[in-house]
Amino acid sequence: MNIRGIFTSCATMAALGSMAGNPSKPNIIFFLVDDMGWADSSVIYGDQTYPLNLRHHTPNMQRLAAKGTIFANAYACPVSSPTRTSLMSGMNAAHSKITDFTTAVPGVPSDASHKPDALKNDVLVHPEWNWNGISPESGIPHTVQVTPMTRLLQDDGYYTIHVGKGHWAAAGTPAASPYNLGFCVNVAGQVAGKPTSYYGKENYGNTKEMWSTFSTMNMTEYYGSDIHLTEALTREALKTLDYPVKNNLPFYLYLAHHGVHTPITPDPRFVQKYLDAGLDEGQAKYASLVEGVDKSLGDVLDYLEANDIADNTVIIFMSDNGGNSENKTKGGVLHTQNAPLREGKASCYEGGVKVPLMVYWPGKTHGSRTEIPVIAEDLYPTILEIAGISGYNTIQQIDGKSIAGLISGNEAPGISYDRELVFHFPHQWKPYPLEDIDYMTSMRKGDWKIVYRHRTGKLELYNLKDDLSERNDLSKKNKKKLREMASALSNRLRGWEAPMPTFRSDGRQIPYPDEL
Amino acid sequence: MNIRGIFTSCATMAALGSMAGNPSKPNIIFFLVDDMGWADSSVIYGDQTYPLNLRHHTPNMQRLAAKGTIFANAYACPVSSPTRTSLMSGMNAAHSKITDFTTAVPGVPSDASHKPDALKNDVLVHPEWNWNGISPESGIPHTVQVTPMTRLLQDDGYYTIHVGKGHWAAAGTPAASPYNLGFCVNVAGQVAGKPTSYYGKENYGNTKEMWSTFSTMNMTEYYGSDIHLTEALTREALKTLDYPVKNNLPFYLYLAHHGVHTPITPDPRFVQKYLDAGLDEGQAKYASLVEGVDKSLGDVLDYLEANDIADNTVIIFMSDNGGNSENKTKGGVLHTQNAPLREGKASCYEGGVKVPLMVYWPGKTHGSRTEIPVIAEDLYPTILEIAGISGYNTIQQIDGKSIAGLISGNEAPGISYDRELVFHFPHQWKPYPLEDIDYMTSMRKGDWKIVYRHRTGKLELYNLKDDLSERNDLSKKNKKKLREMASALSNRLRGWEAPMPTFRSDGRQIPYPDEL
């Protein structure tokens, strides 16, 4: 029998055994880290090695990078829920109107707007936005109805597994259950945006003293143990793979770690070496969380090899937003922790939105790097293309473009270096104001970046090729480019009917950038 | 993938072709109710209609009974965990040494023995027992290592789903995770023996004020809603069936409701009609919980019909022990709530161990009834026989016998009317003593029942055919039968090395029945 004959025979058998076991269907693992900065690993995403790249030991991320494609200019939203819902909807957050994090308390928005005292002296008022996140059903208040990417995967026969952090919908709404989004299996996935505790000894926050709506579910096995939450989630994830692997069902594993989000507490397996290396206590704790996630990635890679499916499993590695630069427990100096990038999580400067992204696609990637800018919502059509699913219908209009071509070192239709990528955060993040973080919109187009500060009505212009750290505002020097960028950004915001803050003084909406 | 990989894949698919979509593999649903008494429904398990049968409206249980096989003399253990672990192990509780309920707090036994004050005046001391439940791994203290029934089902290709109450292992041990027991999917399953709240409005106990280790997980979607927990678990269960149904994978759904366990709070959908019918408040609340479970069963039956799989889905309906007769919130008069049976939950009298059991097996059952006594551990080999799985190896020695033959109206090898069925509860149940409940062992053999009260060393003998209510002690009148029964029971206990209490006074083990 020749090769073609074997494949024909396989196809016949696959048809007999329903849709299961189609060898043209790769498994897909989405390995999502929480709040990990662009330079927080020993994988070099930039065009040079920065001090942060030398700080954390992430050998397994390097192991993946060595055979994958690194995206030097990958972007997400400035905070968690907008990115996570963009992955599930394919929509830009300014379009879905999910511009801040969704709520764990039914009926109560989780952004600073539900604490009016926090905002009463501000010149701006938060806009209406979809604080209940996505919904697979119509008629749910403060949601955007979408066809979730995982629904299309499951409908195509994929065995879809959700492990870890959900945070794409509010408690009390349909999308709070991953089973409503096309997931077959849900381990620990719920609405919470962070863990109460990383420690088995503390039952991951499931004690009378510690319990909160953020306490991790489905981890009872490890209560009272020394098992770190990152490790526990990994072990549970790998257990859930046994059935699809044994039965030759293509799987999609969404392994969404809580690490390296706050609380910044030490992972005892790794913290001492970072203290020994001279990091301060906060930096060492954070480094230990990062290395815990790296160990998890290694365990996943080992599992795939041990089960002989590494050659048919695509791995997408990403963080949901930039590293947190406004938390003292991380050590170091606030607002500098993502150097060379400016600021961090929740900001529309590079530190908040530029994220690590790399993809391993067996047979198609070979340890290369691309400079072409890509954004979270691109992953929706990308994953479906990798899965070989086309011609699908969705309720929502997809903003992302498939980057499958870029992953394999080719062209990708609709994607150029000059594509407009929009970041929109019309909120105050914390109960106190933060100048370089709150109420911002920005857009990258080629090497240019426009930044709009809502409170002051000020526009800034940067050339990222020359000025990755966004310190040299060219808005006065290059008014033509500023006008061009302001116009393009305004068109995007108008077209999407993006939620815009209003002035407290007179209730008017703030101007679009091209009106300034 | 190389050539060898292709061949491996082909072989796997060929194997799969014989499994997936194989019409000889029926789906199996185990519908387990918690604490529902033998006469608590309008299905008549006995040989006459008792007043309790007329109290609760359970049309869907009748709908199942009309096409299934009713077991008039089905038994379980007197409390939850022993029954649930017997289903997973095929072992009698006296053999597995899981004789009381397992713990939700790591390292702390949950039976009354961890409250020494509760027992300090008793003549007896609790024996060592496996208060950590079952374990799929060796070396876990206070567990019995078993090959779980669901592991064999999953290994055979069954898509195995756990929904609701687990309670077969302690927090902090491997079996606290259903993923370690051969389940593909776990919804809400953990170690808890009861819910904190049945109400969506109370987030099923997931609030700062109410939270306990019993608060139900994975129900975030329904937080703040009017959805009753029984309804929520049913909806989640049916969602998880979509993938196996669509992909023609045989499934095993273990739908283990918390209803009708305490807290006895009203199900608003059904309570008023029972108040209108003149029941007292407690009775009406309990009735509403029962009817909620009945509605769930109806929803399951409707789903199977709507999805055209009713003709290939076996349904096993059962309760885990007798109705609770020691809880004032149930209304009525304590210790009479299982009339005509004596006592209730935790007792080795009929009220504690005789349970509703019926099985629908498409094409094999036709609304009949069998008097042959059967017991919880029989379900292990029964389910595997229904699934067509034979020649399996288990770590543990299986005590149960397959009742598959009885279900279809035929003989069942190893099962006669005279089989010895043992119930063993070497514990004080509550923090206070209960004469007809604590420290008892009993055995049914044919129409005869021997009851051993450990505290007093008294043996009783009943003929259940004439005296279903166990009120006419024949131990003095029929000493020959008593000796015969005492000998048989003692042999069982010795053979299994059943845990036996000791005397507080001198530390000696209590006598076996044939030593009295």
Side-chain angles (χ1 to χ4, degrees):
Chain A
M1 192 186 282
N2 59 19
I3 300 286
R4 191 171 170 184
I6 291 168
F7 275 114
T8 307
S9 188
C10 283
T12 308
M13 275 188 275
L16 284 173
S18 80
M19 67 205 316
N22 185 339
S24 74
K25 291 281 180 197
N27 308 308
I28 303 169
I29 295 178
F30 201 122
F31 191 103
L32 187 60
V33 192
D34 198 359
D35 283 3
M36 179 175 154
W38 180 71
D40 272 341
S41 75
S42 42
V43 173
I44 314 300
Y45 292 90
D47 55 6
Q48 57 175 285
T49 301
Y50 296 100
L52 258 179
N53 292 130
L54 302 173
R55 180 182 289 176
H56 300 149
H57 301 165
T58 58
N60 292 295
M61 295 178 200
Q62 286 179 271
R63 184 175 160 197
L64 189 66
K67 56 184 186 175
T69 294
I70 290 175
F71 285 83
N73 292 300
Y75 290 91
C77 304
V79 293
S80 166
S81 296
T83 295
R84 289 162 198 268
T85 53
S86 287
L87 297 173
M88 290 292 271
S89 70
M91 300 173 83
N92 186 277
H95 185 193
S96 70
K97 301 173 181 56
I98 306 168
T99 44
D100 205 344
F101 49 95
T102 54
T103 175
V105 181
V108 180
S110 55
D111 65 319
S113 71
H114 85 289
K115 298 175 182 164
D117 278 356
L119 306 173
K120 66 183 177 188
N121 295 320
D122 206 309
V123 294
L124 299 180
V125 173
H126 275 212
E128 284 290 307
W129 63 288
N130 282 327
W131 45 266
N132 277 331
I134 57 170
S135 171
E137 294 173 23
S138 63
I140 310 297
H142 301 289
T143 66
V144 59
Q145 189 189 1
V146 302
T147 303
M149 182 256 289
T150 37
R151 168 64 62 206
L152 298 171
L153 286 170
Q154 193 195 52
D155 285 352
D156 192 61
Y158 269 84
Y159 189 94
T160 44
I161 303 161
H162 175 47
V163 179
K165 176 171 168 176
H167 209 210
W168 41 47
T173 73
S177 169
Y179 296 112
N180 289 330
L181 299 174
F183 280 104
C184 300
V185 178
N186 168 33
V187 178
Q190 45 135 336
V191 300
K194 65 173 184 178
T196 303
S197 164
Y198 281 110
Y199 296 142
K201 278 271 183 280
E202 297 179 336
N203 301 353
Y204 312 111
N206 291 286
T207 68
K208 198 74 194 167
E209 298 71 33
M210 296 188 74
W211 185 85
S212 79
T213 52
F214 300 106
S215 297
T216 309
M217 298 177 178
N218 292 132
M219 293 290 121
T220 322
E221 174 186 356
Y222 305 102
Y223 284 8
S225 76
D226 287 326
I227 308 296
H228 194 271
L229 180 57
T230 302
E231 176 78 18
L233 290 173
T234 308
R235 291 188 188 183
E236 295 308 290
L238 296 181
K239 285 175 202 168
T240 67
L241 291 183
D242 283 349
Y243 184 81
V245 168
K246 185 170 177 204
N247 291 286
N248 211 16
L249 300 161
F251 65 78
Y252 174 75
L253 168 62
Y254 180 70
L255 176 46
H257 275 295
H258 282 290
V260 298
H261 197 291
T262 56
I264 308 298
T265 48
D267 185 329
R269 298 173 295 177
F270 305 110
V271 70
Q272 189 57 47
K273 71 193 229 191
Y274 292 103
L275 289 168
D276 293 346
L279 297 191
D280 73 29
E281 198 182 323
Q283 290 169 331
K285 287 176 186 173
Y286 183 67
S288 75
L289 285 177
V290 173
E291 191 163 344
V293 167
D294 183 79
K295 195 261 185 187
S296 166
L297 178 64
D299 291 344
V300 170
L301 297 176
D302 290 347
Y303 175 94
L304 300 178
E305 286 167 12
N307 285 276
D308 220 13
I309 52 172
D311 288 350
N312 196 34
T313 304
V314 174
I315 301 174
I316 302 165
F317 177 95
M318 191 181 180
S319 175
D320 68 338
N321 46 245
N324 193 333
S325 64
E326 172 54 25
N327 189 292
K328 287 178 186 160
T329 62
K330 270 181 83 175
V333 178
L334 287 190
H335 308 292
T336 70
Q337 294 99 327
N338 294 298
L341 307 184
R342 183 167 178 180
E343 269 301 341
K345 181 178 180 179
S347 174
C348 291
Y349 286 120
E350 293 289 279
V353 294
K354 184 170 264 188
V355 293
L357 170 67
M358 53 182 164
V359 182
Y360 169 56
W361 190 348
K364 303 220 180 194
T365 59
H366 308 281
S368 63
R369 182 170 166 277
T370 174
E371 300 269 355
I372 298 183
V374 299
I375 189 165
E377 55 261 33
D378 292 338
L379 275 310
Y380 184 112
T382 303
I383 289 168
L384 293 171
E385 182 173 343
I386 291 170
I389 302 170
S390 58
Y392 48 86
N393 293 313
T394 60
I395 292 165
Q396 74 278 24
Q397 185 196 322
I398 307 287
D399 300 312
K401 303 286 181 193
S402 174
I403 65 169
L406 300 183
I407 295 168
S408 51
N410 301 307
E411 300 280 302
I415 297 193
S416 69
Y417 188 80
D418 280 347
R419 192 164 52 127
E420 295 163 0
L421 306 182
V422 175
F423 317 101
H424 187 53
F425 189 68
H427 304 278
Q428 176 175 312
W429 183 32
K430 296 280 183 186
Y432 47 87
L434 287 163
E435 193 186 352
D436 281 2
I437 289 180
D438 300 336
Y439 287 117
M440 288 171 75
T441 305
S442 70
M443 186 181 79
R444 174 171 183 153
K445 180 178 166 66
D447 290 330
W448 294 97
K449 176 110 174 256
I450 182 172
V451 175
Y452 174 19
R453 289 165 172 267
H454 305 168
R455 279 192 180 115
T456 58
K458 191 183 153 210
L459 295 178
E460 298 165 5
L461 182 72
Y462 301 100
N463 185 309
L464 295 174
K465 187 136 197 134
D466 307 328
D467 178 23
L468 181 62
S469 303
E470 299 169 285
R471 293 294 168 190
N472 185 17
D473 178 7
L474 303 173
S475 60
K476 302 222 160 30
K477 285 192 188 155
N478 198 336
K479 293 196 171 172
K480 179 165 173 263
K481 179 55 73 177
L482 181 71
R483 273 196 301 275
E484 182 189 313
M485 292 288 284
S487 170
L489 173 56
S490 301
N491 288 342
R492 291 276 172 187
L493 295 175
R494 287 192 187 98
W496 286 329
E497 298 178 351
M500 302 294 276
T502 51
F503 291 110
R504 188 171 301 277
S505 56
D506 58 10
R508 278 183 308 121
Q509 182 179 295
I510 63 165
Y512 288 106
D514 61 2
E515 295 169 348
L516 290 165
Chain B
M1 192 184 285
N2 58 20
I3 298 287
R4 192 172 167 184
I6 291 167
F7 275 116
T8 307
S9 190
C10 284
T12 310
M13 276 188 280
L16 185 72
S18 64
M19 182 205 71
N22 184 338
S24 75
K25 290 282 180 197
N27 308 308
I28 302 170
I29 296 178
F30 201 122
F31 191 102
L32 187 60
V33 193
D34 198 358
D35 284 2
M36 179 175 154
W38 181 70
D40 272 341
S41 76
S42 41
V43 172
I44 314 300
Y45 291 90
D47 54 7
Q48 56 175 284
T49 302
Y50 296 100
L52 258 180
N53 292 129
L54 302 173
R55 181 182 289 175
H56 301 150
H57 301 166
T58 60
N60 293 295
M61 295 178 200
Q62 286 179 272
R63 184 175 159 198
L64 190 65
K67 57 184 184 174
T69 294
I70 290 175
F71 286 83
N73 293 301
Y75 291 90
C77 303
V79 294
S80 165
S81 296
T83 295
R84 289 162 198 267
T85 53
S86 288
L87 297 173
M88 290 291 271
S89 70
M91 300 173 84
N92 185 279
H95 184 193
S96 70
K97 301 175 181 53
I98 305 168
T99 44
D100 206 344
F101 50 95
T102 54
T103 175
V105 181
V108 179
S110 55
D111 65 320
S113 72
H114 85 288
K115 298 175 183 165
D117 279 356
L119 305 173
K120 66 182 176 187
N121 295 320
D122 207 309
V123 295
L124 300 180
V125 173
H126 276 211
E128 285 290 307
W129 64 286
N130 282 328
W131 45 266
N132 277 331
I134 57 171
S135 172
E137 293 175 21
S138 63
I140 309 297
H142 301 290
T143 66
V144 59
Q145 189 189 0
V146 302
T147 304
M149 181 258 288
T150 37
R151 168 63 62 206
L152 298 171
L153 286 171
Q154 193 195 50
D155 285 352
D156 192 61
Y158 269 84
Y159 189 95
T160 45
I161 305 161
H162 175 48
V163 179
K165 177 171 168 177
H167 209 210
W168 42 45
T173 73
S177 168
Y179 296 112
N180 288 329
L181 300 174
F183 280 104
C184 300
V185 178
N186 168 33
V187 178
Q190 44 135 338
V191 300
K194 65 173 184 179
T196 302
S197 164
Y198 281 109
Y199 297 141
K201 278 269 182 282
E202 297 179 337
N203 300 355
Y204 312 112
N206 292 287
T207 69
K208 197 74 191 165
E209 298 72 31
M210 296 188 74
W211 185 85
S212 79
T213 52
F214 300 106
S215 297
T216 309
M217 299 177 176
N218 291 132
M219 294 289 121
T220 321
E221 173 185 357
Y222 305 103
Y223 284 8
S225 77
D226 286 326
I227 308 295
H228 194 270
L229 180 57
T230 301
E231 176 79 19
L233 290 172
T234 308
R235 292 188 188 183
E236 294 308 289
L238 296 181
K239 285 175 201 168
T240 67
L241 291 183
D242 283 349
Y243 184 81
V245 167
K246 185 171 175 202
N247 291 284
N248 211 16
L249 299 162
F251 65 78
Y252 174 75
L253 168 63
Y254 181 68
L255 176 47
H257 275 295
H258 282 290
V260 297
H261 198 292
T262 56
I264 308 298
T265 48
D267 185 330
R269 297 173 295 175
F270 305 111
V271 70
Q272 189 57 46
K273 70 193 233 192
Y274 292 103
L275 289 168
D276 294 346
L279 298 190
D280 72 29
E281 198 182 323
Q283 290 168 330
K285 287 176 186 172
Y286 183 67
S288 75
L289 285 176
V290 172
E291 191 162 345
V293 168
D294 183 80
K295 195 262 184 187
S296 166
L297 179 63
D299 291 344
V300 170
L301 297 176
D302 290 347
Y303 176 94
L304 299 177
E305 286 166 14
N307 285 275
D308 220 13
I309 52 172
D311 288 349
N312 195 35
T313 304
V314 174
I315 302 174
I316 302 165
F317 176 96
M318 192 181 179
S319 176
D320 68 338
N321 47 245
N324 193 333
S325 63
E326 172 54 26
N327 189 291
K328 286 179 187 160
T329 62
K330 270 181 83 175
V333 179
L334 288 190
H335 309 292
T336 70
Q337 294 98 328
N338 293 299
L341 307 184
R342 183 168 176 179
E343 269 301 341
K345 181 178 181 179
S347 174
C348 291
Y349 285 119
E350 294 288 282
V353 294
K354 183 169 265 188
V355 294
L357 171 66
M358 55 182 163
V359 182
Y360 169 56
W361 191 347
K364 303 220 179 194
T365 59
H366 308 283
S368 62
R369 182 171 166 278
T370 174
E371 299 269 356
I372 297 181
V374 299
I375 188 165
E377 55 261 34
D378 293 337
L379 275 309
Y380 185 112
T382 302
I383 288 167
L384 293 172
E385 182 173 344
I386 291 170
I389 301 170
S390 58
Y392 47 87
N393 293 314
T394 61
I395 293 165
Q396 74 279 24
Q397 185 196 320
I398 306 287
D399 302 311
K401 303 285 181 192
S402 173
I403 64 169
L406 300 183
I407 295 168
S408 51
N410 301 306
E411 299 280 302
I415 296 192
S416 68
Y417 187 79
D418 280 346
R419 192 163 52 126
E420 295 164 359
L421 305 182
V422 174
F423 316 102
H424 188 53
F425 189 68
H427 305 278
Q428 177 175 311
W429 183 33
K430 296 281 181 183
Y432 47 87
L434 288 163
E435 193 184 353
D436 282 3
I437 288 180
D438 300 337
Y439 287 117
M440 288 170 74
T441 305
S442 69
M443 185 181 80
R444 175 172 183 154
K445 180 177 166 62
D447 290 331
W448 293 97
K449 176 109 174 260
I450 183 172
V451 175
Y452 174 19
R453 287 165 173 266
H454 306 166
R455 279 192 179 116
T456 57
K458 192 184 152 209
L459 295 177
E460 297 165 6
L461 182 71
Y462 300 99
N463 185 310
L464 296 174
K465 187 136 198 136
D466 307 329
D467 179 25
L468 182 63
S469 301
E470 299 170 285
R471 292 295 169 189
N472 186 16
D473 178 6
L474 301 173
S475 61
K476 302 225 162 25
K477 283 191 190 155
N478 197 335
K479 292 196 171 172
K480 180 166 172 265
K481 178 56 72 178
L482 181 70
R483 273 195 301 275
E484 182 190 313
M485 293 287 285
S487 171
L489 174 56
S490 300
N491 289 341
R492 291 276 172 186
L493 295 174
R494 286 192 187 99
W496 285 329
E497 297 180 349
M500 302 293 277
T502 50
F503 291 109
R504 186 171 302 276
S505 56
D506 58 9
R508 277 181 307 121
Q509 182 178 295
I510 62 165
Y512 289 107
D514 61 2
E515 295 169 347
L516 291 165

